[in-house]
Structures are given as structure tokens and as C-alpha cells.
Amino acid sequence: MFNLEDYEDVAARVLRFQKAYPEGRIVTDVIQFNPEKGIVLVSAQVYRNASDTLPAGVDYAFGDASTFNTGMRKWYVEDTSSSAIGRALSLVLETQKKPTKQDMAKVVAAKPAKPALPEVKAEDQDYWT
């Protein structure tokens, strides 16, 4: 099992990037969007300097609205964009872990709870069924 506190959130990565590269820029592009299916693919490009012609880091994030809880579902595009930014920043900044705290929180939320087993008395137990 992992500890969420071991992961950095996207906002902290953005702040570190802005301090390290005050002339830098982050560009996002929606590569694919299908609102009927509720899916989006976002690319993020990170430039250390505004005049750079090639990005220092590029990464992608895929969002599926059906995997978000109902309270966050309407923001799945924005959340996916933030995820792409966090992933791209991990390629430019020194970091121990590529996933962000937000991405790892989704892993925790996605784990289904184990159903409770009914209590069965030993004398009522039929091992053949």
C-alpha cells in the first residue's frame, strides 16, 4: 500500500516550476474529446523559457467521466488537463514520483470495498454448497 502524503500535488509542482523557470510556460491541448462517451485525451507541454521552440517535457492524460465520483464528474476535462500538466512537469522538475497526489487519490477511490460476509454459525455451515 502507498501513502498519499508521499506524493506531490499539481499546484505544488506548478509553483516549483514557476520558481525554477520564471520565464517558462505550460501549454495544454485537447487531443481527443467525446462528450457523448465522456472521454478526453489531453497533452501538456512544458517550456523552460517562453522563447523555447521545443518543449522540455511532454506528457498526456486520459480522462473518463465514468471513473469520477458524481461530485467531480462535470470537471473531468479540467481534472484531466491538470493531470497532464502534473505528469509533464515531472519530466522537467526533480521528483521522486511521477504520479501526482490527485492521480494517486483516484487509485484509492477506485478500489471497490469488499462486501461484508454474513456471519454463519459453524453448525449451520454446509461445506458442500
Side-chain angles (χ1 to χ4, degrees):
M1 185 64 182
F2 59 88
N3 181 358
L4 276 179
E5 295 307 311
D6 293 340
Y7 294 85
E8 185 178 31
D9 67 16
V10 175
R13 281 191 188 168
V14 170
L15 285 175
R16 280 198 312 123
F17 173 74
Q18 290 171 333
K19 286 180 182 177
Y21 305 101
E23 299 296 319
R25 62 189 169 113
I26 301 170
V27 178
T28 58
D29 291 309
V30 174
I31 304 298
Q32 181 183 8
F33 179 57
N34 186 324
E36 291 81 27
K37 291 184 178 179
I39 59 170
V40 65
L41 177 64
V42 178
S43 167
Q45 304 89 43
V46 176
Y47 298 81
R48 291 185 177 113
N49 192 299
S51 62
D52 289 348
T53 56
L54 295 174
V58 177
D59 212 328
Y60 302 85
F62 178 78
D64 183 343
S66 68
T67 64
F68 286 75
N69 70 45
T70 55
M72 288 296 296
R73 194 165 291 152
K74 63 183 169 183
W75 292 294
Y76 79 97
V77 174
E78 293 88 339
D79 189 76
T80 303
S81 180
S82 293
S83 180
I85 291 169
R87 294 176 60 81
L89 286 172
S90 74
L91 300 172
V92 177
L93 299 171
E94 186 176 319
T95 183
Q96 295 285 325
K97 301 184 185 304
K98 184 172 187 168
T100 62
K101 185 179 278 191
Q102 289 91 336
D103 289 334
M104 295 310 291
K106 291 178 201 170
V107 173
V108 173
K111 289 186 178 179
K114 291 182 180 178
L117 296 174
E119 288 202 28
V120 178
K121 295 178 185 174
E123 60 270 11
D124 295 335
Q125 183 85 21
D126 181 359
Y127 294 102
W128 298 103
T129 59

